[in-house]
Amino acid sequence: MKIKKTIAALLAATTVLSLGALTACGGDPTTVNPGKPDGDNKPKPGGVQTYVMEAEYIELENVIGGGISNNNSGLSMIYGEGTEAQKALGWSNGYYVGFTYSPECVMEFVFNSDKDTTANFVARLGTELANVTAITPQDVEFSVNGTVLQYGMLSIEGKPLDLDNMQFKDCIIGNNVAIKKGENKLVMKIKENKLYNGTRTAGPTIDCVKITTDAAITFVDHVDNLDGDAI
């Protein structure tokens, strides 16, 4: 059922302001995030910190999606209302991105680093297909600057077709991955697979990605993604 997300968008903007991250002026639909560390991770020796990029804040306009009973794409792939109850479920900003059941689904997490270094990457993933115990890079590909991350095998637990109670798990997708000074891209691409009942292509829902590094990371949050209608 479609619901308006205007209130949720205001709450999201308020959160950004409370972090001191909003650098754009009056009505600018994007926010430059100066890399506020994940609140669950204290800064580590050597300046290592964990940065969180919300899936609902990346550029989604041209992303092709697909589902079980519909084929939502673009901003219609965002699920949630940003409520405290949804955050309590573990949805980091009260939203997530789903409808990734298409081999044409490609999502880009674009960020900037202040130097050449390495980073560890975690994707916070869920599923509406009950338990999916064998996701491999041949099913769901993650790459950084064109280099495919060989993460082995991922196991995710979920409840069948229960979008409202989605559970997420931090999945390690790459350690000590080279990143460069300037722009970098972490890309999630759904490959042709048989994750859905062994018969057709499916992909995980995604809450956010976490980047742990000694670099200073910045990225653009497309906060206006939450201005339209939501699932």
Side-chain angles (χ1 to χ4, degrees), residues 43-57:
K44 301 173 180 63
V48 175
Q49 296 179 350
T50 298
Y51 305 94
V52 179
M53 295 186 69
E54 299 290 349
E56 67 272 14
Y57 282 163

Side-chain angles (χ1 to χ4, degrees), residues 13-37:
T14 301
T15 300
V16 172
L17 283 168
S18 70
L19 295 177
L22 188 58
T23 59
C25 297
D28 191 318
T30 61
T31 296
V32 178
N33 191 323
K36 180 69 177 181

Side-chain angles (χ1 to χ4, degrees), residues 20 38 71 73 86 111 132 146 192 196 214 221 225:
D38 177 10
N71 291 312
S73 292
Q86 289 167 333
F111 62 95
V132 181
E192 289 191 9
Y196 181 40
D214 64 350
D221 280 338
N225 284 354

Side-chain angles (χ1 to χ4, degrees), residues 68 79 86 89 91 96 99 101 126-131 157-168 205 231:
I68 295 176
Y79 195 93
Q86 289 167 333
L89 287 172
W91 308 4
Y96 65 84
F99 305 96
Y101 292 31
T127 181
E128 58 172 327
L129 297 178
N131 298 335
E157 297 180 357
K159 298 178 180 179
L161 306 179
D162 192 351
L163 297 176
D164 291 329
N165 294 289
M166 187 67 60
Q167 300 297 308
F168 288 97
T205 57
I231 299 299

Side-chain angles (χ1 to χ4, degrees), residues 182-204:
E183 184 178 275
N184 296 264
K185 288 184 180 180
L186 168 65
V187 178
M188 183 179 83
K189 177 177 176 55
I190 307 302
K191 311 284 283 186
E192 289 191 9
N193 61 58
K194 295 184 178 180
L195 293 177
Y196 181 40
N197 290 338
T199 60
R200 55 174 280 198
T201 297

